[in-house]
């Protein structure tokens, strides 16, 4: 037996056997709570991987293109293994709850976008959730007890939504994408002003010397709850 079995095998086994409940629990580890959009990310990721595996040679290396940085994206990262840190995750700042998962070798992929009537349908299926969501999430009010009740209800909704047919939640489309080249950043340049290491493609030259964007006073993107915004070091 190989002793260095990948820690990811447990997740892949859950993907193969369609263990959505187990995948949701795994996603909760990084997401911090259970919610319906996390469940949707888990389902979309599991569907995409098994769909592509059926057409190809089993589970292969994929990239995931997400179109929003919300709860859904954490489900996608955990299930597909495409993360911000391993450059498998590509972020398109469109503000849509959607993902495209594609094989790295040939770009064959599938895009799932949450149906525009999903939210309305969700609150219709769980009438108690709407007013609490409004109070606790939208208005950020309510007593600690309200928040506690909401967390329990929302977690129960998430588990129930694992069983809702995928077609009621998503529009699904097969497509082929141009897979971006795998970025390799080594951080091998030293900024001549602050002395910190910087990756090659974030270096500017000022007075003949390599400097980081912060020291150069140039704009750089930051990803916040509002999406990507462009800022300058002040
Ligand atoms: Zn969430
Ligand atoms: Zn610097």
């Amino acid at each position: 037996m190989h002793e260095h079995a990948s820690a990811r095998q447990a997740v892949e086994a859950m993907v193969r056997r369609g263990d959505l409940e187990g995948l949701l629990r795994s996603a909760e580890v990084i997401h911090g709570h259970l919610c319906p959009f996390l469940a949707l990310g888990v389902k979309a990721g599991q569907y995409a991987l098994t769909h592509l595996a059926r057409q190809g040679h089993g589970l292969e290396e994929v990239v995931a293109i997400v179109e929003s940085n919300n709860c859904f994206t954490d489900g996608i990262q955990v299930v597909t293994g495409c993360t911000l840190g391993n450059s498998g995750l590509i972020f398109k700042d469109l503000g849509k709850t959607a993902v495209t998962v594609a094989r790295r070798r040939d770009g064959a992929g599938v895009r799932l976008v949450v149906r525009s009537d999903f939210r309305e349908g969700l609150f219709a299926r769980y009438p108690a959730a709407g007013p609490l969501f409004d109070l606790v999430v939208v208005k950020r009010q309510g007593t600690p007890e309200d928040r506690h009740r909401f967390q329990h209800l929302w977690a129960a909704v998430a588990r129930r939504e694992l069983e809702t047919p995928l077609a009621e939640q998503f529009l699904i489309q097969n497509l082929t994408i141009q897979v971006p080249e795998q970025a390799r950043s080594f951080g091998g340049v030293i900024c001549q002003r602050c002395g910190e290491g910087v990756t090659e493609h974030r270096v500017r030259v000022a007075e003949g010397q390599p400097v980081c964007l912060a020291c150069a006073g140039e704009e750089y993107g930051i990803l916040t709850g509002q999406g990507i915004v462009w800022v300058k070091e002040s």
Side-chain angles (χ1 to χ4, degrees):
M1 190 66 188
H2 195 249
E3 278 189 38
H4 211 85
S6 153
R8 198 170 145 73
Q9 281 179 358
V11 171
E12 290 183 353
M14 287 188 271
V15 168
R16 283 197 189 88
R17 62 174 187 264
D19 180 4
L20 294 174
E21 181 85 28
L23 290 170
L24 184 63
R25 292 292 291 175
S26 304
E28 187 188 358
V29 173
I30 66 159
H31 190 57
H33 62 249
L34 286 177
C35 66
F37 278 85
L38 185 70
L40 288 183
V42 162
K43 287 182 78 171
Q46 195 272 341
Y47 170 83
L49 290 186
T50 49
H51 175 75
L52 294 174
R54 270 199 299 276
Q55 293 181 336
H57 314 285
L59 294 180
E60 293 185 59
E61 197 187 354
V62 294
V63 294
I65 305 167
V66 292
E67 301 180 19
S68 169
N69 55 331
N70 57 15
C71 304
F72 180 79
T73 295
D74 279 349
I76 294 296
Q77 289 192 90
V78 168
V79 174
T80 64
C82 298
T83 70
L84 192 59
N86 66 20
S87 80
L89 190 76
I90 297 162
F91 179 67
K92 254 192 203 181
D93 197 6
L94 291 174
K96 296 182 184 181
T97 303
V99 65
T100 300
V101 181
R103 280 199 297 257
R104 201 180 266 288
R105 72 175 161 87
D106 63 3
V110 58
R111 178 173 183 265
L112 295 96
V113 57
V114 173
R115 299 183 74 104
S116 56
D117 59 2
F118 172 77
R119 196 177 281 260
E120 203 189 340
L122 185 77
F123 289 130
R125 285 196 287 282
Y126 311 100
L132 264 182
F133 181 86
D134 208 49
L135 183 69
V136 172
V137 180
V138 181
K139 298 204 180 84
R140 295 189 175 279
Q141 289 169 0
T143 62
E145 198 195 317
D146 289 329
R147 285 195 287 278
H148 189 78
R149 268 179 56 222
F150 174 72
Q151 279 172 11
H152 276 273
L153 182 61
W154 218 215
V157 169
R159 288 196 198 91
R160 287 277 293 278
E161 285 300 302
L162 292 179
E163 278 139 45
T164 302
L166 204 68
E168 285 178 30
Q169 299 166 323
F170 293 98
L171 296 172
I172 305 172
Q173 174 195 13
N174 290 311
L175 74 183
T176 301
I177 64 155
Q178 193 88 38
V179 178
E181 236 176 83
Q182 200 154 12
R184 279 265 145 253
S185 54
F186 300 105
V189 181
I190 309 291
C191 170
Q192 292 305 300
R193 293 205 184 137
C194 67
E196 295 179 352
V198 194
T199 184
E200 292 78 3
H201 44 271
R202 286 295 175 274
V203 168
R204 295 294 176 268
V205 176
E207 295 155 6
Q209 304 274 15
V211 294
C212 71
L213 293 176
C215 291
E218 281 204 32
E219 279 199 327
Y220 55 91
I222 61 171
L223 180 59
T224 70
Q226 320 297 314
I228 294 173
V229 293
W230 294 88
V231 299
K232 266 187 195 179
E233 205 75 355
S234 52

